[in-house]
Amino acid sequence: MLKNNKNLTEQCADLASGKETSVSLTIKALDKAEEYSYLNAFVVLDREKSLDQAMASDKRRANGNCLSPIDGVPIAVKDNYLTKDYPTTACSGALPLEPSGQDATIIANLRAAGVVIFGKTNMDEWAFSPTNVNSNIGPVLNPHNTNHVTGGSSGGSAAAIASGIVSAGLGSDTGGSIRMPAAACGIYGFKPSYGRASRHGVLPLSWSLDAPGPLASSLKDIELLLPYFLGEDSKDLSTASSAKFKVVEHNEAINVIHLTGEGLERSDEIDTAVKTALEASSAVVKEAGLSHVDNYYEAWEAIIFSEAASYHQPLLKKNPGGFSSGLRAKLEAGSQLSALDVLQAQRLRSQLMHTFANELGDWDIVVTPTLPVTAPTLNEEEQEFGGKKVHAHKSMLWFCVLGNMTGYPCVTIPIGLSKSGLPIGMMLMGKPNEDEKLLAIAIKLESALKKNSV
């Protein structure tokens, strides 16, 4: 983070000790939101609504009725989560299909825990871009350097955390939309396994790829938040066998597969940062490659384009002018894909899952950089790394789509700054439905990294 702001875990401790009240935390967040308004992180923020929630939390705590450890902490919400007290626009001129006046399941869980729902954050229109430049209220600016993107589509939440406005926020991830902005802004982001976290009330982009998850200031913060994300929800059938979150420990050696090679290129600076972090982590590291990586990226595109086109078809017919020209072109392209195209993409998806499950050998986590190069500038169309020139959108998605295509849980952790002062992130991927183990490994790995880097 840019400043020595307190993380969620520390804020909870301050509330429990009486050092802070929910009102004091909320006022500080409101003041910082005004100070950093130039970042354009928020779509809507209502001071009165925030303080009303904070006063209710303080009253509960004073009466001995604290609802949870996170009761009273302000948390920002991406503008594709339905919230009964704020409009939900997905940063688009087209009105959402879902009804207003209700909470997404995860929002309802957080309200029941006493969280202060602290406004709605900026995002790419309908979550269909990786930069957070494509929003109907303008781009989000990176707190580390406002000439650069935050990454998308959860860029507003990432910028709000990195600038210290709030300690945690909500995002959604279809091709890296939690991990990309977390890495670009130097914070932590967790994408749960597909089917572990309820998507009910989160406006969809791609039903078979979407995963809601938290962004935060530390891994311990992620641990505090995951109980409100993971678990069975009758309103989302994909979670039918989802277990509730339970803290675990990982006391054995960590077996890491570091993915490298053709199709997995990265800049020299990023490569050095990841290798240095792995060397300091005390993990057992082996390198491996993946064949036909470009095919998997193209398959991901076919799936997301076709599923997004299917979801938006009624609204696109009713109100085509409500969509930006760029998004409209993507949706129209998706509608032109044949059933054969989509089935071939799903076959490649199964092939990738088989490779991870059966061909990489023994592993606890698979590691890549989160981004192959630091965040592009606001107007940068191409980035060069590993001897390739790549469109900036594709470079942002370069590694992250693997987590959505497999459905495996992923977490990104900051591992330093580039020579130009921009954050570098490392992505850890765990095995399906082993979200708790992935988090435990990430905590252990980061602890060793920090210890051995001193």
Side-chain angles (χ1 to χ4, degrees), residues 71-409:
D71 192 341
V73 178
I75 292 181
V77 177
K78 186 177 179 179
D79 193 31
N80 61 345
Y81 282 73
L82 293 183
T83 46
K84 64 185 180 183
D85 48 356
Y86 284 109
T88 303
T89 72
C91 289
S92 174
L95 295 176
L97 296 175
E98 276 75 6
S100 60
Q102 64 178 252
D103 281 336
T105 292
I106 291 166
I107 297 296
N109 292 345
L110 290 170
R111 281 199 206 276
V115 159
V116 173
I117 302 299
F118 190 78
K120 305 295 284 289
T121 55
N122 197 350
M123 57 180 284
D124 281 298
E125 182 184 13
W126 286 105
F128 208 164
S129 184
T131 60
N132 222 144
V133 170
N134 303 294
S135 163
N136 69 345
I137 66 165
V140 186
L141 306 183
N142 194 314
H144 290 265
N145 185 327
T146 55
N147 292 319
H148 290 256
V149 305
T150 55
S153 60
S154 308
S157 290
I161 297 164
S163 60
I165 297 170
V166 291
S167 59
L170 275 56
S172 61
D173 194 310
T174 309
S177 285
I178 288 170
R179 292 161 287 156
M180 291 183 290
C185 292
I187 62 169
Y188 300 78
F190 192 98
K191 182 200 83 69
S193 297
Y194 181 81
R196 283 296 305 270
S198 174
R199 300 161 303 163
H200 173 71
V202 184
L203 301 179
L205 175 56
S206 175
W207 292 291
S208 69
L209 297 168
D210 291 345
L215 299 91
S217 307
S218 76
L219 289 173
K220 282 295 185 180
D221 296 352
I222 300 288
E223 187 175 271
L224 273 175
L225 291 169
L226 280 180
Y228 307 100
F229 283 83
L230 306 188
E232 187 171 349
D233 177 19
S234 62
K235 296 177 181 177
D236 179 357
L237 296 180
S238 75
T239 67
S241 59
S242 176
K244 293 182 179 179
F245 177 79
K246 183 179 180 180
V247 174
V248 302
E249 293 184 0
H250 187 84
N251 297 315
E252 299 84 27
I254 302 171
N255 293 311
V256 174
I257 297 293
H258 178 203
L259 288 181
T260 62
E262 186 177 354
L264 298 162
E265 296 87 355
R266 70 291 306 265
S267 72
D268 290 343
E269 185 175 35
I270 298 294
D271 189 48
T272 298
V274 170
K275 287 180 177 177
T276 300
L278 289 175
E279 288 171 4
S281 71
S282 302
V284 179
V285 182
K286 295 181 180 179
E287 291 193 351
L290 288 176
S291 301
H292 313 298
V293 177
D294 272 349
N295 290 348
Y296 297 129
Y297 179 85
E298 291 169 5
W300 171 84
E301 277 195 321
I303 294 167
I304 190 174
F305 272 60
S306 60
E307 292 187 1
S310 173
Y311 170 70
H312 286 292
Q313 186 180 36
L315 191 54
L316 190 60
K317 287 183 177 180
K318 180 180 178 182
N319 182 22
F323 296 85
S324 68
S325 59
L327 180 53
R328 193 162 60 246
K330 289 180 179 179
L331 297 176
E332 289 170 352
S335 68
Q336 298 301 311
L337 290 166
S338 69
L340 186 62
D341 294 328
V342 178
L343 288 171
Q344 173 70 356
Q346 294 290 5
R347 185 185 72 80
L348 285 168
R349 185 184 200 171
S350 297
Q351 179 181 308
L352 178 63
M353 295 171 72
H354 181 272
T355 297
F356 271 91
N358 301 290
E359 296 179 15
L360 290 181
D362 181 35
W363 57 273
D364 295 308
I365 57 171
V366 172
V367 167
T368 67
T370 312
L371 305 175
V373 66
T374 53
T377 62
L378 292 165
N379 299 313
E380 195 170 359
E381 292 189 0
E382 271 190 341
Q383 292 186 290
E384 190 169 354
F385 56 90
K388 293 186 174 184
K389 287 186 177 180
V390 180
H391 191 282
H393 281 203
K394 186 175 181 180
S395 72
M396 296 294 290
L397 297 156
W398 198 249
F399 297 107
C400 287
V401 296
L402 297 173
N404 301 90
M405 285 289 281
T406 58
Y408 289 5

Side-chain angles (χ1 to χ4, degrees), residues 5 11 59 269 311 329 360 431:
N5 297 294
Q11 288 180 342
K59 185 176 181 180
E269 185 175 35
Y311 170 70
L360 290 181
K431 293 184 177 178

